[in-house]
Amino acid sequence: MWVQAVHDGKAVAVRVSWDDRSQSPDTAWLGFERRVRETVAGDDSGASAETDRWPDQLAVQFPRRIPEGMERPYFLMGSETDPVYQWRWTSATRGGRAVAGLARGLERFDTLPAAPASGAVYDHGEWRVVFTRSLATPDTANELQFATGRAIPVAFFAWDGSSGEKGTRMAVSSWYFLALDQPTPSRVLVTPVVAMLLTLGLGIVVVRRAQRRQA
């Protein structure tokens, strides 16, 4: 999995890319699957003709607040007493859809009213999903307030629908850290230019005085 983030001081965009050799659900295979189900239904094996097609899914996880020390919620989707803030994306709809919510363990996810904007592309065996959200939001109790220059814990979960992954069957990461660069102060760029101009001006004055003395 590859993760990139960028911000403009007002909003943050997080792009997550990961390998998945089969897009789920793959509409190109629906006709073939239908014929397979009809064949299975017509034999005497007693097997069910219905098969489940699970979507590909992704969850990006943050704590609700940036910790001051190394204390973090439980990495496996938090707990009842210390939930985590998550963005969840699914390929079930065209273009995908993202929601935000609080995970209180593996079995509970409470959706929040505000969701990040998202966009997804599947290309040559790779998903690329981009989430976009304001750095600060009105819901400071439940939604993480992104800050520049701070180490922000982040974790990831991915489900491969074609492999039957859903619910608690998924790929899991531990906590990593996301760092958003602080904007470069204008004085950092202006000060060297001013110093160069002052040095140049002083040099010109010294040279002219030396020329006058020689004259």
Side-chain angles (χ1 to χ4, degrees):
M1 183 174 285
W2 296 264
V3 183
Q4 295 171 296
V6 64
H7 76 94
D8 60 1
K10 297 180 180 179
V12 60
V14 179
R15 183 173 73 174
V16 184
S17 306
W18 72 99
D19 290 330
D20 188 343
R21 297 304 173 185
S22 56
Q23 181 181 1
S24 307
D26 188 353
T27 55
W29 285 90
L30 294 182
F32 174 76
E33 291 179 358
R34 187 180 304 108
R35 291 193 296 271
V36 170
R37 291 198 299 272
E38 292 172 353
T39 302
V40 172
D43 65 17
D44 298 327
S45 64
S48 173
E50 292 297 324
T51 58
D52 293 322
R53 293 188 299 273
W54 306 109
D56 294 325
Q57 299 178 77
L58 172 71
V60 181
Q61 173 177 291
F62 306 94
R64 289 178 298 159
R65 289 172 291 275
I66 301 176
E68 294 299 331
M70 295 301 294
E71 187 69 22
R72 286 159 288 175
Y74 183 46
F75 78 98
L76 198 56
M77 298 195 179
S79 63
E80 284 286 344
T81 57
D82 193 7
V84 289
Y85 174 63
Q86 286 187 348
W87 297 338
R88 291 194 176 188
W89 171 89
T90 175
S91 66
T93 59
R94 179 178 292 275
R97 181 175 63 91
V99 297
L102 297 180
R104 303 176 185 272
L106 291 173
E107 302 296 337
R108 182 177 172 184
F109 179 75
D110 299 330
T111 305
L112 295 173
S118 67
V121 174
Y122 183 82
D123 182 45
H124 291 87
E126 181 183 72
W127 274 113
R128 294 191 294 274
V129 180
V130 177
F131 300 93
T132 306
R133 205 210 74 175
S134 299
L135 293 176
T137 67
D139 189 359
T140 57
N142 297 313
E143 298 179 347
L144 173 70
Q145 306 300 299
F146 288 93
T148 59
R150 299 285 302 276
I152 304 172
V154 59
F156 305 92
F157 304 86
W159 291 260
D160 183 1
S162 61
S163 296
E165 294 183 355
K166 65 182 182 66
T168 58
R169 184 180 179 185
M170 57 190 165
V172 182
S173 84
S174 60
W175 284 112
Y176 288 85
F177 291 95
L178 176 68
L180 301 178
D181 292 338
Q182 291 180 315
T184 303
S186 58
R187 64 176 181 274
V188 174
L189 303 176
V190 174
T191 301
V193 176
V194 173
M196 291 175 60
L197 293 175
L198 290 176
T199 302
L200 178 62
L202 182 60
I204 293 175
V205 171
V206 172
V207 171
R208 286 185 176 179
R209 286 184 177 180
Q211 290 176 344
R212 289 176 181 176
R213 289 178 181 178
Q214 291 179 356

